[in-house]
Amino acid sequence: MASRWILRRACALNSVRLTEGRKKMRKVAAAIFVLILSGLGAIAAAAAPKPADKPWSMDDVIDRVITNENRANQQIKQYSPLVETYIQNLKPDKDLGYTPAGDKYFLGRVDFSKGVSLVSLTDTNSKGKKIFGSVGNFFSFAMQFLPDGFLQMIFIDTNSFDKQHYKFDYVHREFLGEVRCLVFDVTPQEKSSKGRFLGRVWVEDQDFNIVRFNGRYNGEGYSSYYFHFDSWRTNVQPGLWMPSFVYSEERELRYALVKKLDFKGQTRLWGYNLGHTAREQELSKMFVEAPVQDDTKTANDLTPVQAQRAWDRQAEENVAEHLERIGLMAPRGEVDKVLEAVVNNLEVTNNLDIEPEVRCRVLMTTTLESFTLGHTIVLSRGLIDVLPDEPSLAAVIAHELGHVALGHRMDSNYAFFDRLLVEDKNTFRHFYFAHTRAEEQAASAKGFQFLNNSPYKNQLGNAGLFLAALQSRQKEIPNLISAHPWFDKLDLIKGKPLGTNAEHEKMPFEVTAFMPYLTRFGSEASKPITISAAKQQNQKNN
């Protein structure tokens, strides 16, 4: 109707103009007509929703998920993170259900540029092992766990993740931490080959990246065994979700006709950003300052004692920087400050004045270990995870502070920078921080003295129970409590004390499932809560 009205008005204009310029006016009217039509077209185009504004159909979402997942399989080839796998064999227990009955530990660096290439940091005889193509076995013919098999659990399907090979069924929406997700059940299409993923995936609802998948690979045979697993990813850069945690568990897996396997295992990956260290970022922000006038009037040369202290400090800083560079030590952060607050409590109540000041750092590994680098106390993430309370933490730190107070030094030759030029795989063999038995006994006595004068002296009940439990388990979990010969960031989560509902919930030093609190890159996580709590809270809002 609008175009007809325009035509009529154009004709009316032409009919009243009976002059010699009639043809000219016709041309003007035609031009007006074209302009008006083009204007209407522009208005209509502006009013119509853009493709990006249109609601997503379920087929569109699935296509986007498939595209992103296949892109992620290519993007990961740029990275070489650290990977750690800890496995506990289990045995039935009448009171606790299942308890540890042996363990395995692997720590190494993975190179994704050519399939999967693993170089062990704990096995000095390892030359690296490569996997190409589809999913590898998790068990060898000799019934040994294969670290590369557990690493494959970070992939859904590296070859054929598409609609031709998989069926996608929408289930519901669910929050994982602060990230709202769409949940799909994914099953292989009929007549698909073996090794396809069968389970459930969680897709964040902004860019449609898979952030979690739970299930197993299908088609195990006489010589191939695929385990159930729960694989998580974290948002390390805008739009980039990288594998971070894998939990695996199996009960009564039958093999070799009469044998069965019960186990639980954890795999962690970190150190994706090792090529973009804080120092490189700092360098990019440097600017040239105005010249500074050197007008110092007094001599600042160090005394011999001060010079020796500075040299020793240089050695420990060199080693700490090396461990941080290769991803084994976490960058300084809030956790270190908490540990140093405990050190301060011990120093103040014991009238200690230690120079240089005592620092604390955290090793990223799961193994339970603590040691000193000169005046730097190092505790592993795994040890901090299992300590029941602050007094128990103080007991461990007091022992290491005893080494510092007694002047038990590290090798000062590490102050020479060429001593740091060592391949990652030789790190554990190259650095040696162990003390003699006599030094350990002296540090224990000194640490006990510090505790008796500290505010923790009447709160050490849990520490005693912790050490007793550790001693009772040492034969079953030697890889967890035997120290090495010696997301890149740690956050401290202070949970509420929980009572046990049943005997089996005591779980002394047992592997547990991962339940990370997911957030998007750049957002500050609010007070950590459990996944189940987040789900209940957000279901009310939906």
Side-chain angles (χ1 to χ4, degrees), residues 285-298:
K285 299 178 181 178
M286 287 180 60
F287 58 93
V288 178
E289 297 179 338
V292 177
Q293 181 68 34
D294 294 330
D295 56 358
T296 303
K297 304 300 182 182
T298 60

Side-chain angles (χ1 to χ4, degrees), residues 335-475:
V335 179
D336 305 317
K337 295 178 182 178
V338 172
L339 301 180
E340 288 167 0
V342 175
V343 171
N344 184 68
N345 290 340
L346 294 170
E347 288 182 328
V348 169
T349 52
N350 284 276
N351 297 317
L352 297 177
D353 185 14
I354 299 176
E355 291 293 339
E357 64 179 349
V358 179
R359 299 173 179 173
C360 292
R361 300 296 298 271
V362 179
L363 208 64
M364 295 291 289
T365 55
T366 295
T367 49
L368 312 184
E369 51 190 311
S370 63
F371 55 90
T372 57
L373 302 175
H375 284 205
T376 299
I377 296 174
V378 181
L379 276 66
S380 67
R381 175 196 52 78
L383 178 59
I384 297 173
D385 282 347
V386 299
L387 287 169
D389 51 25
E390 184 177 324
S392 302
L393 176 63
V396 175
I397 291 178
H399 173 84
E400 302 303 335
L401 187 61
H403 283 297
V404 176
L406 292 170
H408 296 162
R409 300 170 59 195
M410 64 178 290
D411 187 353
S412 61
N413 276 329
Y414 292 125
F416 293 107
F417 286 93
D418 63 291
R419 292 289 305 275
L420 283 301
L421 301 178
V422 56
E423 291 187 60
D424 293 357
K425 64 181 180 181
N426 296 324
T427 295
F428 289 126
R429 184 171 54 182
H430 182 75
F431 296 107
Y432 187 81
F433 308 130
H435 295 288
T436 66
R437 184 176 183 83
E439 288 176 334
E440 290 292 348
Q441 292 175 343
S444 294
K446 181 62 72 173
F448 188 72
Q449 174 187 330
F450 292 159
L451 287 173
N452 278 337
N453 296 328
S454 75
Y456 307 107
K457 62 181 179 181
N458 296 322
Q459 307 172 41
L460 298 174
N462 285 337
L465 293 174
F466 171 80
L467 294 174
L470 190 62
Q471 185 175 7
S472 67
R473 291 288 191 190
Q474 61 181 347
K475 292 182 179 180

Side-chain angles (χ1 to χ4, degrees), residues 133-148:
S134 60
V135 175
N137 296 344
F138 302 155
F139 237 19
S140 71
F141 184 73
M143 295 301 123
Q144 296 293 320
F145 289 110
L146 302 178
D148 44 30

Side-chain angles (χ1 to χ4, degrees), residues 75-92:
Q75 288 175 326
I76 201 171
K77 294 180 179 180
Q78 307 172 32
Y79 299 94
S80 183
L82 289 171
V83 58
E84 178 190 59
T85 296
Y86 178 65
I87 304 165
Q88 284 183 348
N89 291 320
L90 304 174
K91 63 181 179 182

Side-chain angles (χ1 to χ4, degrees), residues 117-407:
S117 176
L118 276 173
V119 176
S120 174
L121 300 183
T122 50
D123 181 5
T124 56
N125 295 321
S126 173
K127 296 182 180 179
K129 183 173 182 179
K130 297 181 180 179
I131 311 172
F132 299 94
S134 60
V135 175
N137 296 344
F138 302 155
F139 237 19
S140 71
F141 184 73
M143 295 301 123
Q144 296 293 320
F145 289 110
L146 302 178
D148 44 30
F150 283 85
L151 185 58
Q152 287 284 0
M153 297 176 186
I154 67 171
F155 299 108
I156 294 180
D157 191 323
T158 57
N159 294 322
S160 305
F161 188 66
D162 51 40
K163 291 181 178 177
Q164 287 71 42
H165 294 86
Y166 288 96
K167 181 175 67 173
F168 297 79
D169 295 311
Y170 173 74
V171 181
H172 58 235
R173 292 189 304 175
E174 181 178 336
F175 275 83
L176 297 181
E178 297 179 1
V179 179
R180 189 172 67 171
C181 299
L182 307 176
V183 183
F184 295 88
D185 282 342
V186 177
T187 54
Q189 296 282 11
E190 294 184 6
K191 298 181 180 180
S192 292
S193 58
K194 295 181 179 180
R196 302 292 181 195
F197 175 74
L198 172 66
R200 178 165 289 189
V201 301
W202 285 255
V203 179
E204 53 88 16
D205 67 350
Q206 290 188 10
D207 299 315
F208 303 114
N209 294 291
I210 294 176
V211 300
R212 179 189 181 188
F213 52 102
N214 176 301
R216 67 193 297 262
Y217 303 115
N218 73 341
E220 65 182 17
Y222 177 75
S223 60
S224 59
Y225 299 87
Y226 300 142
F227 303 147
H228 292 89
F229 60 90
D230 189 22
S231 189
W232 293 73
R233 298 169 179 175
T234 51
N235 194 191
V236 298
Q237 291 291 334
L240 184 62
W241 294 79
M242 301 300 286
S244 301
F245 308 100
V246 182
Y247 173 73
S248 185
E249 178 180 330
E250 211 64 55
R251 290 284 193 274
E252 298 189 351
L253 175 66
R254 301 286 176 174
Y255 69 94
L257 298 180
V258 296
K259 295 184 178 181
K260 67 176 182 178
L261 176 69
D262 300 291
F263 82 93
K264 294 191 291 187
Q266 291 182 339
T267 296
R268 301 170 186 265
L269 295 96
W270 71 89
Y272 288 102
N273 295 323
L274 291 179
H276 305 281
T277 63
R279 287 175 177 78
E280 289 175 339
Q281 297 174 9
E282 181 181 347
L283 182 62
S284 66
K285 299 178 181 178
M286 287 180 60
F287 58 93
V288 178
E289 297 179 338
V292 177
Q293 181 68 34
D294 294 330
D295 56 358
T296 303
K297 304 300 182 182
T298 60
N300 287 302
D301 291 340
L302 301 180
T303 66
V305 172
Q306 290 175 320
Q308 185 61 52
R309 288 178 177 176
W311 182 251
D312 290 343
R313 180 68 108 184
Q314 181 69 69
E316 64 185 78
E317 288 179 346
N318 284 355
V319 174
E321 287 179 2
H322 177 81
L323 295 177
E324 181 179 337
R325 180 184 61 79
I326 66 176
L328 288 176
M329 182 173 284
R332 286 192 60 82
E334 295 301 316
V335 179
D336 305 317
K337 295 178 182 178
V338 172
L339 301 180
E340 288 167 0
V342 175
V343 171
N344 184 68
N345 290 340
L346 294 170
E347 288 182 328
V348 169
T349 52
N350 284 276
N351 297 317
L352 297 177
D353 185 14
I354 299 176
E355 291 293 339
E357 64 179 349
V358 179
R359 299 173 179 173
C360 292
R361 300 296 298 271
V362 179
L363 208 64
M364 295 291 289
T365 55
T366 295
T367 49
L368 312 184
E369 51 190 311
S370 63
F371 55 90
T372 57
L373 302 175
H375 284 205
T376 299
I377 296 174
V378 181
L379 276 66
S380 67
R381 175 196 52 78
L383 178 59
I384 297 173
D385 282 347
V386 299
L387 287 169
D389 51 25
E390 184 177 324
S392 302
L393 176 63
V396 175
I397 291 178
H399 173 84
E400 302 303 335
L401 187 61
H403 283 297
V404 176
L406 292 170

